[in-house]
Amino acid sequence: MARQKTTRQLRDPSQDQLRDPSRDQWRDRRAAGQELSEKCLALGQGFLRSNTMVVALPRGGVPVGLEVAKALQVPLSTWSVRKLAGAQAPEVAVGAIAAGGVELWDSSREDIPIQERRQILAKEWQELKHRQQYFADGPIERLNGKNLIVVDDGIATGMTAAAALHSLRAASPNKLILAIPVVDQKLIAPLQDLCDQLIALKVVSNLNAVGEYFENFDQLHDADVINLLGEAKLSIHSKV
């Protein structure tokens, strides 16, 4: 099982203006996806029409990815990842897992006892397998040689995004792009090391919660993801 640690906090090479959470909220994830799709379209039509897929991280990344896939007229797929969190603070990510045995732990949380880590992993590997099957992530081989645009609804800790990128790199894609509406500035450089290109609409300092940047940030359910994937298939096929 591959084990990685993500601890670096490097300079922000982008020139994006840092934003305050009280400003410029998106209506919802789909509105953010529509704006993000404009950035992705700037990659160039020749590239986008050739062997490209949008890979959304469920659940929150799927409505964002749907709008990007519709605008680019490329297939939408999912790639499941799971946040690792302790029982005392389930909202705080201390690690993440993804397909291919990718297991990341925040090295600043080495105080978590090994037995608790094992319990967390046993539960989350089981849930990850369930989601992979339910969302039909499919074998990694189907992504070989493709241009992959990886989409989430925002990145505050970077753990799940990093796990996804480590996992998808094993597919030997032609190009691996990370596209998100909002990201904490301290994560830009570490994430850029894991992909070929990073596209972000807002780079902010001290991002506490991604939901601060959305007027509507309702929790999504597995059935919502299935419905969105179905909408993507209908929308893309109807325009081909």
PDB file of all heavy atoms in Angstrom, residues 201-239:
ATOM      1  N   LEU A 201     -10.691  29.399  -9.924  1.00  0.00           N
ATOM      2  CA  LEU A 201     -11.360  30.682 -10.099  1.00  0.00           C
ATOM      3  C   LEU A 201     -10.996  31.653  -8.975  1.00  0.00           C
ATOM      4  O   LEU A 201     -10.853  32.846  -9.202  1.00  0.00           O
ATOM      5  CB  LEU A 201     -12.870  30.481 -10.131  1.00  0.00           C
ATOM      6  CG  LEU A 201     -13.418  29.626 -11.275  1.00  0.00           C
ATOM      7  CD1 LEU A 201     -14.931  29.485 -11.153  1.00  0.00           C
ATOM      8  CD2 LEU A 201     -13.050  30.229 -12.623  1.00  0.00           C
ATOM      9  N   LYS A 202     -10.866  31.141  -7.755  1.00  0.00           N
ATOM     10  CA  LYS A 202     -10.537  31.979  -6.604  1.00  0.00           C
ATOM     11  C   LYS A 202      -9.458  31.282  -5.779  1.00  0.00           C
ATOM     12  O   LYS A 202      -9.593  30.114  -5.424  1.00  0.00           O
ATOM     13  CB  LYS A 202     -11.772  32.225  -5.729  1.00  0.00           C
ATOM     14  CG  LYS A 202     -12.900  32.968  -6.434  1.00  0.00           C
ATOM     15  CD  LYS A 202     -14.098  33.154  -5.518  1.00  0.00           C
ATOM     16  CE  LYS A 202     -15.245  33.833  -6.259  1.00  0.00           C
ATOM     17  NZ  LYS A 202     -16.436  34.026  -5.410  1.00  0.00           N
ATOM     18  N   VAL A 203      -8.407  32.025  -5.485  1.00  0.00           N
ATOM     19  CA  VAL A 203      -7.353  31.566  -4.588  1.00  0.00           C
ATOM     20  C   VAL A 203      -7.432  32.450  -3.354  1.00  0.00           C
ATOM     21  O   VAL A 203      -7.255  33.667  -3.446  1.00  0.00           O
ATOM     22  CB  VAL A 203      -5.968  31.664  -5.250  1.00  0.00           C
ATOM     23  CG1 VAL A 203      -4.884  31.204  -4.288  1.00  0.00           C
ATOM     24  CG2 VAL A 203      -5.933  30.846  -6.534  1.00  0.00           C
ATOM     25  N   VAL A 204      -7.723  31.866  -2.207  1.00  0.00           N
ATOM     26  CA  VAL A 204      -8.021  32.655  -1.015  1.00  0.00           C
ATOM     27  C   VAL A 204      -7.094  32.268   0.130  1.00  0.00           C
ATOM     28  O   VAL A 204      -6.527  31.175   0.157  1.00  0.00           O
ATOM     29  CB  VAL A 204      -9.494  32.468  -0.578  1.00  0.00           C
ATOM     30  CG1 VAL A 204     -10.429  32.838  -1.713  1.00  0.00           C
ATOM     31  CG2 VAL A 204      -9.751  31.047  -0.121  1.00  0.00           C
ATOM     32  N   SER A 205      -6.947  33.177   1.067  1.00  0.00           N
ATOM     33  CA  SER A 205      -6.121  32.898   2.242  1.00  0.00           C
ATOM     34  C   SER A 205      -6.997  32.377   3.377  1.00  0.00           C
ATOM     35  O   SER A 205      -8.126  32.824   3.561  1.00  0.00           O
ATOM     36  CB  SER A 205      -5.384  34.165   2.687  1.00  0.00           C
ATOM     37  OG  SER A 205      -6.312  35.195   3.001  1.00  0.00           O
ATOM     38  N   ASN A 206      -6.477  31.401   4.100  1.00  0.00           N
ATOM     39  CA  ASN A 206      -7.147  30.863   5.285  1.00  0.00           C
ATOM     40  C   ASN A 206      -8.573  30.411   4.983  1.00  0.00           C
ATOM     41  O   ASN A 206      -9.529  30.868   5.606  1.00  0.00           O
ATOM     42  CB  ASN A 206      -7.149  31.900   6.407  1.00  0.00           C
ATOM     43  CG  ASN A 206      -5.753  32.329   6.805  1.00  0.00           C
ATOM     44  OD1 ASN A 206      -4.862  31.499   6.923  1.00  0.00           O
ATOM     45  ND2 ASN A 206      -5.554  33.629   6.975  1.00  0.00           N
ATOM     46  N   LEU A 207      -8.695  29.526   4.020  1.00  0.00           N
ATOM     47  CA  LEU A 207     -10.013  29.004   3.649  1.00  0.00           C
ATOM     48  C   LEU A 207     -10.501  28.052   4.737  1.00  0.00           C
ATOM     49  O   LEU A 207      -9.953  26.970   4.933  1.00  0.00           O
ATOM     50  CB  LEU A 207      -9.925  28.278   2.308  1.00  0.00           C
ATOM     51  CG  LEU A 207     -11.190  27.603   1.796  1.00  0.00           C
ATOM     52  CD1 LEU A 207     -12.329  28.607   1.692  1.00  0.00           C
ATOM     53  CD2 LEU A 207     -10.934  26.962   0.444  1.00  0.00           C
ATOM     54  N   ASN A 208     -11.520  28.453   5.452  1.00  0.00           N
ATOM     55  CA  ASN A 208     -12.050  27.638   6.546  1.00  0.00           C
ATOM     56  C   ASN A 208     -13.055  26.609   6.060  1.00  0.00           C
ATOM     57  O   ASN A 208     -13.048  25.465   6.505  1.00  0.00           O
ATOM     58  CB  ASN A 208     -12.707  28.539   7.602  1.00  0.00           C
ATOM     59  CG  ASN A 208     -11.708  29.419   8.313  1.00  0.00           C
ATOM     60  OD1 ASN A 208     -10.626  28.971   8.688  1.00  0.00           O
ATOM     61  ND2 ASN A 208     -12.055  30.691   8.483  1.00  0.00           N
ATOM     62  N   ALA A 209     -13.931  27.017   5.148  1.00  0.00           N
ATOM     63  CA  ALA A 209     -14.966  26.113   4.666  1.00  0.00           C
ATOM     64  C   ALA A 209     -15.332  26.497   3.241  1.00  0.00           C
ATOM     65  O   ALA A 209     -15.609  27.663   2.952  1.00  0.00           O
ATOM     66  CB  ALA A 209     -16.206  26.179   5.560  1.00  0.00           C
ATOM     67  N   VAL A 210     -15.334  25.511   2.353  1.00  0.00           N
ATOM     68  CA  VAL A 210     -15.676  25.755   0.952  1.00  0.00           C
ATOM     69  C   VAL A 210     -17.083  26.338   0.830  1.00  0.00           C
ATOM     70  O   VAL A 210     -17.348  27.205  -0.006  1.00  0.00           O
ATOM     71  CB  VAL A 210     -15.553  24.445   0.146  1.00  0.00           C
ATOM     72  CG1 VAL A 210     -16.120  24.622  -1.259  1.00  0.00           C
ATOM     73  CG2 VAL A 210     -14.099  23.996   0.083  1.00  0.00           C
ATOM     74  N   GLY A 211     -17.997  25.897   1.687  1.00  0.00           N
ATOM     75  CA  GLY A 211     -19.382  26.342   1.616  1.00  0.00           C
ATOM     76  C   GLY A 211     -19.575  27.833   1.811  1.00  0.00           C
ATOM     77  O   GLY A 211     -20.626  28.376   1.436  1.00  0.00           O
ATOM     78  N   GLU A 212     -18.572  28.529   2.362  1.00  0.00           N
ATOM     79  CA  GLU A 212     -18.681  29.973   2.541  1.00  0.00           C
ATOM     80  C   GLU A 212     -18.789  30.705   1.211  1.00  0.00           C
ATOM     81  O   GLU A 212     -19.255  31.845   1.164  1.00  0.00           O
ATOM     82  CB  GLU A 212     -17.458  30.501   3.291  1.00  0.00           C
ATOM     83  CG  GLU A 212     -17.350  30.046   4.734  1.00  0.00           C
ATOM     84  CD  GLU A 212     -16.088  30.545   5.403  1.00  0.00           C
ATOM     85  OE1 GLU A 212     -15.179  30.989   4.665  1.00  0.00           O
ATOM     86  OE2 GLU A 212     -16.006  30.500   6.636  1.00  0.00           O
ATOM     87  N   TYR A 213     -18.388  30.062   0.135  1.00  0.00           N
ATOM     88  CA  TYR A 213     -18.363  30.710  -1.171  1.00  0.00           C
ATOM     89  C   TYR A 213     -19.577  30.371  -2.029  1.00  0.00           C
ATOM     90  O   TYR A 213     -19.608  30.691  -3.212  1.00  0.00           O
ATOM     91  CB  TYR A 213     -17.063  30.353  -1.898  1.00  0.00           C
ATOM     92  CG  TYR A 213     -15.884  31.045  -1.265  1.00  0.00           C
ATOM     93  CD1 TYR A 213     -15.272  30.499  -0.149  1.00  0.00           C
ATOM     94  CD2 TYR A 213     -15.444  32.279  -1.728  1.00  0.00           C
ATOM     95  CE1 TYR A 213     -14.224  31.151   0.473  1.00  0.00           C
ATOM     96  CE2 TYR A 213     -14.403  32.940  -1.110  1.00  0.00           C
ATOM     97  CZ  TYR A 213     -13.797  32.376  -0.002  1.00  0.00           C
ATOM     98  OH  TYR A 213     -12.768  33.028   0.618  1.00  0.00           O
ATOM     99  N   PHE A 214     -20.582  29.735  -1.414  1.00  0.00           N
ATOM    100  CA  PHE A 214     -21.798  29.351  -2.134  1.00  0.00           C
ATOM    101  C   PHE A 214     -23.020  29.790  -1.341  1.00  0.00           C
ATOM    102  O   PHE A 214     -23.087  29.593  -0.127  1.00  0.00           O
ATOM    103  CB  PHE A 214     -21.854  27.835  -2.333  1.00  0.00           C
ATOM    104  CG  PHE A 214     -20.762  27.282  -3.200  1.00  0.00           C
ATOM    105  CD1 PHE A 214     -19.506  27.011  -2.675  1.00  0.00           C
ATOM    106  CD2 PHE A 214     -20.997  27.016  -4.543  1.00  0.00           C
ATOM    107  CE1 PHE A 214     -18.491  26.498  -3.471  1.00  0.00           C
ATOM    108  CE2 PHE A 214     -19.991  26.503  -5.348  1.00  0.00           C
ATOM    109  CZ  PHE A 214     -18.740  26.242  -4.813  1.00  0.00           C
ATOM    110  N   GLU A 215     -23.992  30.386  -2.038  1.00  0.00           N
ATOM    111  CA  GLU A 215     -25.252  30.723  -1.383  1.00  0.00           C
ATOM    112  C   GLU A 215     -26.006  29.459  -1.008  1.00  0.00           C
ATOM    113  O   GLU A 215     -26.616  29.364   0.054  1.00  0.00           O
ATOM    114  CB  GLU A 215     -26.107  31.586  -2.320  1.00  0.00           C
ATOM    115  CG  GLU A 215     -25.515  32.957  -2.623  1.00  0.00           C
ATOM    116  CD  GLU A 215     -26.352  33.729  -3.626  1.00  0.00           C
ATOM    117  OE1 GLU A 215     -27.499  33.302  -3.894  1.00  0.00           O
ATOM    118  OE2 GLU A 215     -25.872  34.742  -4.150  1.00  0.00           O
ATOM    119  N   ASN A 216     -25.986  28.472  -1.910  1.00  0.00           N
ATOM    120  CA  ASN A 216     -26.641  27.188  -1.678  1.00  0.00           C
ATOM    121  C   ASN A 216     -25.573  26.107  -1.729  1.00  0.00           C
ATOM    122  O   ASN A 216     -24.993  25.854  -2.785  1.00  0.00           O
ATOM    123  CB  ASN A 216     -27.718  26.944  -2.740  1.00  0.00           C
ATOM    124  CG  ASN A 216     -28.458  25.636  -2.530  1.00  0.00           C
ATOM    125  OD1 ASN A 216     -28.007  24.755  -1.800  1.00  0.00           O
ATOM    126  ND2 ASN A 216     -29.603  25.503  -3.173  1.00  0.00           N
ATOM    127  N   PHE A 217     -25.318  25.464  -0.586  1.00  0.00           N
ATOM    128  CA  PHE A 217     -24.298  24.420  -0.516  1.00  0.00           C
ATOM    129  C   PHE A 217     -24.896  23.190   0.177  1.00  0.00           C
ATOM    130  O   PHE A 217     -24.324  22.629   1.098  1.00  0.00           O
ATOM    131  CB  PHE A 217     -23.075  24.936   0.244  1.00  0.00           C
ATOM    132  CG  PHE A 217     -21.812  24.146   0.002  1.00  0.00           C
ATOM    133  CD1 PHE A 217     -21.188  24.162  -1.236  1.00  0.00           C
ATOM    134  CD2 PHE A 217     -21.232  23.395   1.022  1.00  0.00           C
ATOM    135  CE1 PHE A 217     -20.020  23.451  -1.453  1.00  0.00           C
ATOM    136  CE2 PHE A 217     -20.071  22.686   0.810  1.00  0.00           C
ATOM    137  CZ  PHE A 217     -19.457  22.701  -0.426  1.00  0.00           C
ATOM    138  N   ASP A 218     -26.065  22.768  -0.316  1.00  0.00           N
ATOM    139  CA  ASP A 218     -26.766  21.645   0.289  1.00  0.00           C
ATOM    140  C   ASP A 218     -25.964  20.357   0.166  1.00  0.00           C
ATOM    141  O   ASP A 218     -25.221  20.146  -0.806  1.00  0.00           O
ATOM    142  CB  ASP A 218     -28.122  21.442  -0.385  1.00  0.00           C
ATOM    143  CG  ASP A 218     -29.099  22.565  -0.063  1.00  0.00           C
ATOM    144  OD1 ASP A 218     -28.820  23.319   0.895  1.00  0.00           O
ATOM    145  OD2 ASP A 218     -30.115  22.689  -0.771  1.00  0.00           O
ATOM    146  N   GLN A 219     -26.127  19.502   1.141  1.00  0.00           N
ATOM    147  CA  GLN A 219     -25.485  18.199   1.090  1.00  0.00           C
ATOM    148  C   GLN A 219     -26.094  17.370  -0.032  1.00  0.00           C
ATOM    149  O   GLN A 219     -27.310  17.340  -0.220  1.00  0.00           O
ATOM    150  CB  GLN A 219     -25.656  17.463   2.414  1.00  0.00           C
ATOM    151  CG  GLN A 219     -24.987  16.095   2.451  1.00  0.00           C
ATOM    152  CD  GLN A 219     -25.140  15.414   3.794  1.00  0.00           C
ATOM    153  OE1 GLN A 219     -25.669  16.005   4.737  1.00  0.00           O
ATOM    154  NE2 GLN A 219     -24.683  14.181   3.896  1.00  0.00           N
ATOM    155  N   LEU A 220     -25.247  16.687  -0.790  1.00  0.00           N
ATOM    156  CA  LEU A 220     -25.715  15.829  -1.866  1.00  0.00           C
ATOM    157  C   LEU A 220     -25.765  14.384  -1.402  1.00  0.00           C
ATOM    158  O   LEU A 220     -25.039  13.987  -0.489  1.00  0.00           O
ATOM    159  CB  LEU A 220     -24.783  15.954  -3.082  1.00  0.00           C
ATOM    160  CG  LEU A 220     -24.699  17.334  -3.726  1.00  0.00           C
ATOM    161  CD1 LEU A 220     -23.628  17.350  -4.805  1.00  0.00           C
ATOM    162  CD2 LEU A 220     -26.035  17.747  -4.301  1.00  0.00           C
ATOM    163  N   HIS A 221     -26.625  13.603  -2.049  1.00  0.00           N
ATOM    164  CA  HIS A 221     -26.764  12.193  -1.730  1.00  0.00           C
ATOM    165  C   HIS A 221     -26.329  11.349  -2.929  1.00  0.00           C
ATOM    166  O   HIS A 221     -26.176  11.866  -4.039  1.00  0.00           O
ATOM    167  CB  HIS A 221     -28.214  11.885  -1.344  1.00  0.00           C
ATOM    168  CG  HIS A 221     -28.702  12.697  -0.185  1.00  0.00           C
ATOM    169  ND1 HIS A 221     -28.369  12.406   1.122  1.00  0.00           N
ATOM    170  CD2 HIS A 221     -29.484  13.816  -0.135  1.00  0.00           C
ATOM    171  CE1 HIS A 221     -28.923  13.291   1.938  1.00  0.00           C
ATOM    172  NE2 HIS A 221     -29.602  14.156   1.196  1.00  0.00           N
ATOM    173  N   ASP A 222     -26.128  10.067  -2.690  1.00  0.00           N
ATOM    174  CA  ASP A 222     -25.678   9.187  -3.766  1.00  0.00           C
ATOM    175  C   ASP A 222     -26.628   9.231  -4.962  1.00  0.00           C
ATOM    176  O   ASP A 222     -26.188   9.232  -6.117  1.00  0.00           O
ATOM    177  CB  ASP A 222     -25.574   7.745  -3.256  1.00  0.00           C
ATOM    178  CG  ASP A 222     -24.394   7.553  -2.308  1.00  0.00           C
ATOM    179  OD1 ASP A 222     -23.584   8.492  -2.173  1.00  0.00           O
ATOM    180  OD2 ASP A 222     -24.285   6.472  -1.709  1.00  0.00           O
ATOM    181  N   ALA A 223     -27.930   9.274  -4.702  1.00  0.00           N
ATOM    182  CA  ALA A 223     -28.910   9.313  -5.791  1.00  0.00           C
ATOM    183  C   ALA A 223     -28.763  10.584  -6.617  1.00  0.00           C
ATOM    184  O   ALA A 223     -28.994  10.564  -7.837  1.00  0.00           O
ATOM    185  CB  ALA A 223     -30.329   9.214  -5.223  1.00  0.00           C
ATOM    186  N   ASP A 224     -28.389  11.688  -5.982  1.00  0.00           N
ATOM    187  CA  ASP A 224     -28.168  12.938  -6.722  1.00  0.00           C
ATOM    188  C   ASP A 224     -27.025  12.769  -7.723  1.00  0.00           C
ATOM    189  O   ASP A 224     -27.090  13.255  -8.851  1.00  0.00           O
ATOM    190  CB  ASP A 224     -27.834  14.081  -5.758  1.00  0.00           C
ATOM    191  CG  ASP A 224     -28.965  14.386  -4.792  1.00  0.00           C
ATOM    192  OD1 ASP A 224     -30.131  14.340  -5.219  1.00  0.00           O
ATOM    193  OD2 ASP A 224     -28.676  14.667  -3.613  1.00  0.00           O
ATOM    194  N   VAL A 225     -25.968  12.075  -7.298  1.00  0.00           N
ATOM    195  CA  VAL A 225     -24.828  11.847  -8.175  1.00  0.00           C
ATOM    196  C   VAL A 225     -25.246  11.031  -9.390  1.00  0.00           C
ATOM    197  O   VAL A 225     -24.899  11.353 -10.535  1.00  0.00           O
ATOM    198  CB  VAL A 225     -23.691  11.133  -7.411  1.00  0.00           C
ATOM    199  CG1 VAL A 225     -22.567  10.730  -8.362  1.00  0.00           C
ATOM    200  CG2 VAL A 225     -23.154  12.044  -6.311  1.00  0.00           C
ATOM    201  N   ILE A 226     -26.015   9.975  -9.168  1.00  0.00           N
ATOM    202  CA  ILE A 226     -26.486   9.132 -10.277  1.00  0.00           C
ATOM    203  C   ILE A 226     -27.328   9.942 -11.251  1.00  0.00           C
ATOM    204  O   ILE A 226     -27.188   9.824 -12.480  1.00  0.00           O
ATOM    205  CB  ILE A 226     -27.290   7.936  -9.741  1.00  0.00           C
ATOM    206  CG1 ILE A 226     -26.406   7.042  -8.871  1.00  0.00           C
ATOM    207  CG2 ILE A 226     -27.893   7.139 -10.887  1.00  0.00           C
ATOM    208  CD1 ILE A 226     -25.209   6.466  -9.574  1.00  0.00           C
ATOM    209  N   ASN A 227     -28.200  10.798 -10.724  1.00  0.00           N
ATOM    210  CA  ASN A 227     -29.040  11.629 -11.597  1.00  0.00           C
ATOM    211  C   ASN A 227     -28.201  12.602 -12.418  1.00  0.00           C
ATOM    212  O   ASN A 227     -28.473  12.830 -13.613  1.00  0.00           O
ATOM    213  CB  ASN A 227     -30.062  12.401 -10.760  1.00  0.00           C
ATOM    214  CG  ASN A 227     -31.128  11.510 -10.165  1.00  0.00           C
ATOM    215  OD1 ASN A 227     -31.395  10.420 -10.682  1.00  0.00           O
ATOM    216  ND2 ASN A 227     -31.737  11.937  -9.072  1.00  0.00           N
ATOM    217  N   LEU A 228     -27.182  13.189 -11.807  1.00  0.00           N
ATOM    218  CA  LEU A 228     -26.321  14.132 -12.515  1.00  0.00           C
ATOM    219  C   LEU A 228     -25.509  13.432 -13.608  1.00  0.00           C
ATOM    220  O   LEU A 228     -25.326  13.969 -14.704  1.00  0.00           O
ATOM    221  CB  LEU A 228     -25.388  14.832 -11.527  1.00  0.00           C
ATOM    222  CG  LEU A 228     -26.065  15.808 -10.555  1.00  0.00           C
ATOM    223  CD1 LEU A 228     -25.125  16.170  -9.416  1.00  0.00           C
ATOM    224  CD2 LEU A 228     -26.532  17.065 -11.268  1.00  0.00           C
ATOM    225  N   LEU A 229     -25.030  12.228 -13.324  1.00  0.00           N
ATOM    226  CA  LEU A 229     -24.299  11.463 -14.341  1.00  0.00           C
ATOM    227  C   LEU A 229     -25.207  11.115 -15.512  1.00  0.00           C
ATOM    228  O   LEU A 229     -24.794  11.160 -16.678  1.00  0.00           O
ATOM    229  CB  LEU A 229     -23.724  10.185 -13.718  1.00  0.00           C
ATOM    230  CG  LEU A 229     -22.603  10.386 -12.691  1.00  0.00           C
ATOM    231  CD1 LEU A 229     -22.253   9.063 -12.021  1.00  0.00           C
ATOM    232  CD2 LEU A 229     -21.365  10.998 -13.340  1.00  0.00           C
ATOM    233  N   GLY A 230     -26.467  10.791 -15.212  1.00  0.00           N
ATOM    234  CA  GLY A 230     -27.434  10.518 -16.278  1.00  0.00           C
ATOM    235  C   GLY A 230     -27.711  11.749 -17.116  1.00  0.00           C
ATOM    236  O   GLY A 230     -27.826  11.667 -18.344  1.00  0.00           O
ATOM    237  N   GLU A 231     -27.810  12.907 -16.460  1.00  0.00           N
ATOM    238  CA  GLU A 231     -28.036  14.162 -17.191  1.00  0.00           C
ATOM    239  C   GLU A 231     -26.864  14.458 -18.119  1.00  0.00           C
ATOM    240  O   GLU A 231     -27.041  14.929 -19.242  1.00  0.00           O
ATOM    241  CB  GLU A 231     -28.225  15.301 -16.200  1.00  0.00           C
ATOM    242  CG  GLU A 231     -28.482  16.646 -16.867  1.00  0.00           C
ATOM    243  CD  GLU A 231     -28.665  17.785 -15.881  1.00  0.00           C
ATOM    244  OE1 GLU A 231     -28.985  17.520 -14.708  1.00  0.00           O
ATOM    245  OE2 GLU A 231     -28.470  18.956 -16.284  1.00  0.00           O
ATOM    246  N   ALA A 232     -25.658  14.164 -17.644  1.00  0.00           N
ATOM    247  CA  ALA A 232     -24.470  14.406 -18.472  1.00  0.00           C
ATOM    248  C   ALA A 232     -24.516  13.558 -19.730  1.00  0.00           C
ATOM    249  O   ALA A 232     -24.226  14.043 -20.833  1.00  0.00           O
ATOM    250  CB  ALA A 232     -23.202  14.114 -17.669  1.00  0.00           C
ATOM    251  N   LYS A 233     -24.869  12.301 -19.612  1.00  0.00           N
ATOM    252  CA  LYS A 233     -24.919  11.409 -20.773  1.00  0.00           C
ATOM    253  C   LYS A 233     -25.943  11.894 -21.783  1.00  0.00           C
ATOM    254  O   LYS A 233     -25.687  11.929 -22.987  1.00  0.00           O
ATOM    255  CB  LYS A 233     -25.241   9.989 -20.324  1.00  0.00           C
ATOM    256  CG  LYS A 233     -24.118   9.311 -19.566  1.00  0.00           C
ATOM    257  CD  LYS A 233     -24.511   7.912 -19.144  1.00  0.00           C
ATOM    258  CE  LYS A 233     -23.388   7.234 -18.360  1.00  0.00           C
ATOM    259  NZ  LYS A 233     -23.759   5.880 -17.911  1.00  0.00           N
ATOM    260  N   LEU A 234     -27.112  12.286 -21.294  1.00  0.00           N
ATOM    261  CA  LEU A 234     -28.163  12.757 -22.193  1.00  0.00           C
ATOM    262  C   LEU A 234     -27.751  14.045 -22.896  1.00  0.00           C
ATOM    263  O   LEU A 234     -27.956  14.218 -24.101  1.00  0.00           O
ATOM    264  CB  LEU A 234     -29.460  12.984 -21.416  1.00  0.00           C
ATOM    265  CG  LEU A 234     -30.198  11.733 -20.946  1.00  0.00           C
ATOM    266  CD1 LEU A 234     -31.369  12.116 -20.047  1.00  0.00           C
ATOM    267  CD2 LEU A 234     -30.665  10.909 -22.127  1.00  0.00           C
ATOM    268  N   SER A 235     -27.155  14.968 -22.153  1.00  0.00           N
ATOM    269  CA  SER A 235     -26.777  16.265 -22.711  1.00  0.00           C
ATOM    270  C   SER A 235     -25.693  16.127 -23.768  1.00  0.00           C
ATOM    271  O   SER A 235     -25.780  16.745 -24.837  1.00  0.00           O
ATOM    272  CB  SER A 235     -26.296  17.177 -21.597  1.00  0.00           C
ATOM    273  OG  SER A 235     -25.816  18.404 -22.103  1.00  0.00           O
ATOM    274  N   ILE A 236     -24.702  15.300 -23.497  1.00  0.00           N
ATOM    275  CA  ILE A 236     -23.590  15.168 -24.428  1.00  0.00           C
ATOM    276  C   ILE A 236     -24.012  14.387 -25.677  1.00  0.00           C
ATOM    277  O   ILE A 236     -23.725  14.789 -26.810  1.00  0.00           O
ATOM    278  CB  ILE A 236     -22.398  14.490 -23.725  1.00  0.00           C
ATOM    279  CG1 ILE A 236     -21.835  15.419 -22.659  1.00  0.00           C
ATOM    280  CG2 ILE A 236     -21.310  14.108 -24.734  1.00  0.00           C
ATOM    281  CD1 ILE A 236     -20.876  14.781 -21.700  1.00  0.00           C
ATOM    282  N   HIS A 237     -24.739  13.298 -25.492  1.00  0.00           N
ATOM    283  CA  HIS A 237     -25.158  12.496 -26.650  1.00  0.00           C
ATOM    284  C   HIS A 237     -26.100  13.267 -27.567  1.00  0.00           C
ATOM    285  O   HIS A 237     -26.104  13.105 -28.767  1.00  0.00           O
ATOM    286  CB  HIS A 237     -25.840  11.208 -26.186  1.00  0.00           C
ATOM    287  CG  HIS A 237     -24.898  10.232 -25.552  1.00  0.00           C
ATOM    288  ND1 HIS A 237     -23.567  10.147 -25.891  1.00  0.00           N
ATOM    289  CD2 HIS A 237     -25.098   9.293 -24.586  1.00  0.00           C
ATOM    290  CE1 HIS A 237     -22.978   9.205 -25.190  1.00  0.00           C
ATOM    291  NE2 HIS A 237     -23.871   8.676 -24.383  1.00  0.00           N
ATOM    292  N   SER A 238     -26.942  14.147 -26.954  1.00  0.00           N
ATOM    293  CA  SER A 238     -27.920  14.875 -27.767  1.00  0.00           C
ATOM    294  C   SER A 238     -27.259  15.923 -28.667  1.00  0.00           C
ATOM    295  O   SER A 238     -27.869  16.396 -29.614  1.00  0.00           O
ATOM    296  CB  SER A 238     -28.939  15.573 -26.830  1.00  0.00           C
ATOM    297  OG  SER A 238     -28.311  16.601 -26.073  1.00  0.00           O
ATOM    298  N   LYS A 239     -25.986  16.277 -28.349  1.00  0.00           N
ATOM    299  CA  LYS A 239     -25.314  17.314 -29.131  1.00  0.00           C
ATOM    300  C   LYS A 239     -24.212  16.767 -30.038  1.00  0.00           C
ATOM    301  O   LYS A 239     -23.546  17.516 -30.724  1.00  0.00           O
ATOM    302  CB  LYS A 239     -24.729  18.367 -28.183  1.00  0.00           C
ATOM    303  CG  LYS A 239     -25.810  19.113 -27.405  1.00  0.00           C
ATOM    304  CD  LYS A 239     -25.203  20.164 -26.488  1.00  0.00           C
ATOM    305  CE  LYS A 239     -26.291  20.906 -25.719  1.00  0.00           C
ATOM    306  NZ  LYS A 239     -25.733  21.937 -24.839  1.00  0.00           N
TER     307      LYS A 239
END
